[in-house]
Amino acid sequence: MDAEHADIDDRLRALLAERLQLDAGVRVDEGASLLDLGLDSAALLSVVIGIEEAFGIDVPDREITIENFGSLGSMSSYIAGRRAS
Amino acid sequence: MRGRPSTVAAMFSSTVDRVGDRLALVDGSERRTWDELAGDARQLAGSLQARGITPGSGVAIVLGNDRAFVTTFLAVELLGAMAVPLNPLFTPEELGRHLAGCEVAGCDVVGIVAEPDLVPVLRDRPYTAPGRRHPWVEDFASFDNATSHTAAFHDVTVDPAAPALFAFSSGSTGTPKGMIRTNRNLAAEADQFAATVDVTEDDVILAVVALFHAHGLGNALLAAIRSGAPLVLGRFERDATLAAIKQERVTLFPAVPFIFHSLAETRRAQRADLQTLRLCFSAGAPLSQATFDLFHDRFGHPIRQLYGCSEAGSVTINLDDDATGSWDSVGRPMSGIDVAVIDDDGVCHARGATGEITFRSDALTAGYVAEGESANEMFDGGWFRTGDLGRLDDAGNLFVTGRTKLFISTSGFKVDPFEVEAVIRAQPGVADVVVVGAQGDRGEEIVKAVVVRDDPEADESPLRRDLLAACKAQLAAFKVPRIVEFRDEIPRSPLGKILRKYLV
């Protein structure tokens, strides 16, 4: 994994822990489903708002999908893609 | 001069007569004037008549916030039938349970108009009692198809006392209770809201809160039907909602705290133009100061709190001149509604004292159907005991402070479980906590805390000791839990409400 991805992942982990109120000991695996960590539609929107703030991007509502935001790995790819474009 | 309309059909007809050529609704790219909407509703009413809907029949409406919902609701009301709005996000089991609840309550659901994907699910579901006729199930489009409109609508005279709506109250505790609200109830609710908020045909109402719920039904749909203000329909999405407010020049924005918070927190919302809004009001959950401040800072609009319930629609709204100073009040009674704060014996409290909030309103249902006396004790000589705790200040502003029904009666005292929960939740090692009243050995209630640990493997004994020590230090002795039970999770309903009955 390149440095940019690693940096995104670290910041995402911190953001998820804050927005989903995860326990300190929980480490989010890249592929794990966030639905299992209590991500419902309201929590998903909260995470997306946090991502917009942290990474300086705007996520159109129609792109707020489980495909884009259902796991740390998919979020990370989405963010890297948006930053590259 | 004719009196004020006292049925939904008469309100609608009066608005169509008055402002028929003006815009009635916007649903994506579709727009309808009141005249066009009346045509649509009469056409659908003819089809529903042909499918056996007569005055008093129930028609379940399992639709989102769209033109289909509005047209179906109006068609049902033109027929003097009873609308039964249900959440289209319900699981098949939940829909079945609510439809079975209608049957138990004597509400004869003859037909169901549902979202297309729910039609096969509902058609297959054997929720009616053996021997009963299964209701027909259609999606709106199958009626809306021009070729199906062969039946002319025969006008029906609707009695103001006739049922207009069958709704469920989930309250904060227990199973949903069914209730009927008459045409007169709904007309009174619309009158009260329109008079208090001064809604006219020059307003534009954004309807992103669910129309199947009391908030959206009363403060968006009925308000529009009564006043002639157009409805801008949709589901909540930040971009679409912000764009709709600007494009359609929305003036009234009913929503819930989550929606206001999400909009205020969104970076690009800072560029949004919400100048046309004249009233943003929140119901359904308590508003936090953080949400109020954030929204006010971003958009310059104070969020006003509205207090209401499924039993009567809206009861109070905060329209105070000093919106910032009284942000946490739910305001004063709507026009025609009386509110009082009483003690356990039903005696009115002096201003400033906390007690149970009660009110009387022409919009109030006569009671829960097919429920025993205990459920209907809340209906007390025309007054409704809400089960919510509150106080009135000197100016008559109401503040909601908690719920009585959750209170634990122990040692002759009442314990507010939220107060005990707050102490326990602040302790290290606690992920979640719910405090309930459990039955003691001698039939008395005792305070019990159900705790979820941060680390499920953590040793119980030291944590229990620490929690009790914190409670003893911060709470009166009678509030300190007698039982601390550790569990892996707190049971919650699909809507997220805590299922307290499984914790006692």
Side-chain angles (χ1 to χ4, degrees), chain A residues 19 23 52 58-59 61, chain B residues 238-239 265 267-268 454:
Chain A
R19 295 269 171 168
D23 297 346
E52 291 176 331
D58 287 342
V59 180
D61 285 326
Chain B
R238 295 171 304 166
D239 300 327
E265 220 190 355
R267 287 184 334 131
R268 60 187 176 278
D454 276 336

Side-chain angles (χ1 to χ4, degrees), chain B residues 26-50:
Chain B
V26 179
D27 177 7
S29 59
E30 294 195 272
R31 303 172 93 83
R32 292 288 188 279
T33 64
W34 288 101
D35 281 334
E36 289 165 344
L37 182 57
D40 292 348
R42 289 178 65 84
Q43 199 166 37
L44 178 59
S47 300
L48 293 177
Q49 255 173 346

Side-chain angles (χ1 to χ4, degrees), chain B residues 16 27 60 135 172 174 179 200 202 204 228 247 249 262 264 297 350 366 395 410 417 441 460 469 485 504:
Chain B
V16 173
D27 177 7
S172 288
M179 70 186 101
T200 72
D202 292 327
V204 179
Q247 280 163 19
R249 305 191 60 78
S262 300
D297 290 350
T410 181
D441 294 339
E460 289 184 11
E485 183 183 308
V504 244

Side-chain angles (χ1 to χ4, degrees), chain A residues 7 9 16 20 24 26 29 37 44-45 49 54 67 72 76 85:
Chain A
D7 172 56
D9 285 6
L16 287 169
L20 300 182
V26 173
D29 292 331
L37 291 172
L44 176 59
L45 182 54
I49 288 170
E67 290 71 42
L72 188 130
S76 184
S85 65

Side-chain angles (χ1 to χ4, degrees), chain B residues 416-427 433 435 474-475:
Chain B
D416 181 353
F418 298 129
E419 185 188 0
V420 185
E421 285 171 14
V423 172
I424 296 176
R425 190 169 288 118
Q427 304 309 309
V433 58
V435 169
Q474 296 178 48
L475 298 168

